[in-house]
Amino acid sequence: MTKQADKGGTTDRKPARRTRRAVLFGGLGVLGIAAVAGREEIGRAWWLLPGVSKPRKEGEIDYPGAGWTAASPANWRLADRPDDYRVDRIVVHVTQGGFASSVQAFRNPFHKASAHYIVNQDGHVEQLVRELDVAFHAGNRSMNERSIGIEHVGFVDRPKDFTDAMYASSARLAADICRRYGIPVDRRHFLGHSEVPGADHTDPGPLWDWDRYLGLVRAELGTPGRTAPS
């Protein structure tokens, strides 16, 4: 479970770069934006214009069957993925705490971190941030922008916490995400939090069974090989 937002975590972006909002609302106009921001930045920023962003409904979920608890807006950033940032990674976390305390932490604006989903030991899935948006879960801005963060309730040094129900439920969730975004099911595209560049965390730890987990994801997709169908 991360303790740092992308504001406080490491980043592989240049810190002096102007924000999308500053570019759009700096009074430059369309031609001025083109000259200053560049084509790639405009492609990511267009949705910030009034009336352009995708429709949103309070409590709407991306994964059928998930519960919904809204994380504090201080713990994630509004976006319009995958139109502004591609989604091609899943980052696996372990909460280092219980379900209720983890949900409460993500609701706390002073926590400065969140994840898109929490999977409980009984298999229940709770969504806290829309997949459209950037959750502060990896401690790395670039990784946050391109990934979905899945927390798993438990402690990295307690094997009993990684239950069959948890593995099966998380695999169904991950398979659904892979199917929608065309994410390959391999260790390049599925990372542990500890594997994120610049991360200072140890989760999901050596007790997390990657072979089992990815095998379950592939079985859900009906693909014995390494990739999800596009």
Side-chain angles (χ1 to χ4, degrees):
M1 184 176 184
T2 186
K3 298 294 185 183
Q4 293 179 310
D6 66 351
K7 296 178 183 177
T10 60
T11 178
D12 55 7
R13 293 175 176 268
K14 296 180 180 179
R17 196 184 72 169
R18 300 186 66 183
T19 65
R20 295 190 301 278
R21 190 174 296 274
V23 170
L24 277 173
F25 299 108
L28 297 178
V30 174
L31 293 178
I33 292 172
V36 175
R39 182 175 299 176
E40 180 181 358
E41 192 72 1
I42 295 169
R44 292 177 174 179
W46 66 271
W47 61 272
L48 286 171
L49 292 170
V52 176
S53 62
K54 291 184 175 120
R56 296 164 183 264
K57 295 180 181 179
E58 179 66 27
E60 191 172 30
I61 58 174
D62 296 296
Y63 177 64
W68 170 260
T69 301
S72 168
N75 299 334
W76 55 274
R77 189 172 80 243
L78 189 72
D80 208 18
R81 303 189 308 170
D83 290 334
D84 51 355
Y85 301 104
R86 71 182 183 276
V87 176
D88 62 1
R89 297 288 190 277
I90 291 175
V91 180
V92 173
H93 302 261
V94 172
T95 61
Q96 293 296 96
F99 177 79
S101 63
S102 299
V103 171
Q104 188 59 37
F106 292 159
R107 294 181 64 195
N108 182 351
F110 297 102
H111 187 62
K112 301 301 183 184
S114 63
H116 294 92
Y117 296 99
I118 297 178
V119 182
N120 205 355
Q121 293 168 1
D122 63 2
H124 173 74
V125 176
E126 193 78 1
Q127 185 168 3
L128 298 103
V129 178
R130 290 292 309 278
E131 292 177 12
L132 287 167
D133 299 318
V134 177
F136 301 158
H137 65 95
N140 178 302
R141 177 172 176 171
S142 178
M143 186 60 68
N144 285 342
E145 289 170 345
R146 72 189 303 171
S147 66
I148 303 292
I150 304 177
E151 290 274 3
H152 300 82
V153 174
F155 293 85
V156 297
D157 58 351
R158 293 202 318 207
K160 67 177 183 179
D161 290 350
F162 302 139
T163 65
D164 293 343
M166 174 186 285
Y167 272 114
S169 180
S170 182
R172 287 191 293 271
L173 169 62
D176 188 68
I177 294 168
C178 289
R179 187 180 294 112
R180 286 185 280 110
Y181 297 104
I183 301 175
V185 186
D186 57 38
R187 290 288 280 115
R188 179 183 174 192
H189 296 84
F190 279 68
L191 290 79
H193 188 183
S194 61
E195 298 171 320
V196 174
D200 59 356
H201 288 249
T202 61
D203 60 306
L207 297 179
W208 182 259
D209 191 336
W210 282 106
D211 289 340
R212 176 186 183 187
Y213 183 57
L214 295 185
L216 288 169
V217 176
R218 292 179 188 125
E220 289 290 334
L221 290 166
T223 54
R226 295 170 60 85
T227 60
S230 298

